[in-house]
């Protein structure tokens, strides 16, 4: 199993659009996020989403997600809410991406099934591993900008990622 235990999510920098409300919260108090929920489409697109998180970023697949999805759908059934098709957790160090797909609630609420965050997902990465990550991202098909200490690229559904060199916390 591949692991990316040396990386972690530093923060999601929220950049407010003029037509969307935002809270005036400075980034300074944020050190790390435990997880980020991302609706990842109506169906799981293995070459697109799965490859990005598990081969490009080399996140570890968390086997507990299936049980959580089953409990979520049982609770939704009791509430008369539509189910979600599946849930995958991609572990990056001590943080996770919760990747939900096939959520019938999206359609019921009239919202898109693929979510794009208003901001950047910033990952701290060992400096000597950034060049290898850059090659994997480019092979996946994204345009990468930056240098040996900081790169930026768009991931699935246009979510913006920034990877910065950093030491483990």
């Amino acid at each position: 199993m591949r692991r990316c235990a040396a990386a972690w999510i530093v923060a999601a920098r929220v950049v407010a659009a003029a037509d969307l409300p935002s809270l005036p919260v400075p980034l300074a108090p944020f050190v790390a996020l435990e997880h980020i929920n991302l609706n990842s489409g109506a169906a799981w697109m293995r070459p697109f989403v799965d490859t990005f998180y598990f081969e490009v970023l080399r996140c570890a697949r968390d086997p507990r997600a299936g049980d959580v999805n089953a409990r979520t759908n049982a609770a939704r059934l009791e509430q008369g809410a539509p189910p979600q098709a599946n849930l995958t957790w991609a572990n990056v160090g001590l943080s996770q991406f919760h990747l939900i797909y096939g959520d019938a609630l999206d359609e019921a609420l009239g919202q898109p099934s693929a979510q794009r965050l208003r901001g950047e997902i910033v990952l701290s990465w060992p400096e000597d591993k950034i060049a290898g990550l850059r090659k994997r991202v480019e092979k996946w098909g994204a345009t990468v900008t930056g240098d040996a200490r900081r790169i930026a690229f768009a991931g699935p559904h246009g979510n913006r990622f920034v990877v910065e060199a950093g030491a483990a916390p």
Side-chain angles (χ1 to χ4, degrees), residues 40-47 49-50 53-54 61 88 99-102:
S40 297
W44 195 241
M45 298 177 287
R46 183 172 179 81
V49 179
D50 201 69
Y53 288 98
F54 298 108
R61 191 177 303 272
T88 295
L99 307 168
I100 301 161
Y101 56 97

Side-chain angles (χ1 to χ4, degrees), residues 12-49:
R13 294 182 191 150
V14 176
V15 181
D19 60 337
L20 296 172
S22 64
L23 296 173
V25 178
L27 184 61
F30 293 103
V31 175
L33 295 176
E34 194 272 335
H35 72 267
I36 295 174
N37 289 333
L38 286 173
N39 289 0
S40 297
W44 195 241
M45 298 177 287
R46 183 172 179 81
F48 186 57
V49 179

Side-chain angles (χ1 to χ4, degrees), residues 89-138:
W89 290 348
N91 295 346
V92 57
L94 298 176
S95 301
Q96 294 178 321
F97 293 100
H98 290 188
L99 307 168
I100 301 161
Y101 56 97
D103 192 342
L105 195 54
D106 291 333
E107 187 176 326
L109 296 174
Q111 61 192 23
S113 62
Q115 185 177 17
R116 183 181 306 173
L117 296 178
R118 295 182 302 142
E120 300 170 328
I121 299 168
V122 182
L123 302 174
S124 184
W125 211 268
E127 186 173 354
D128 64 337
K129 304 289 185 197
I130 291 179
L133 173 62
R134 181 184 194 122
K135 288 178 185 174
R136 291 191 305 274
V137 171
E138 289 171 340

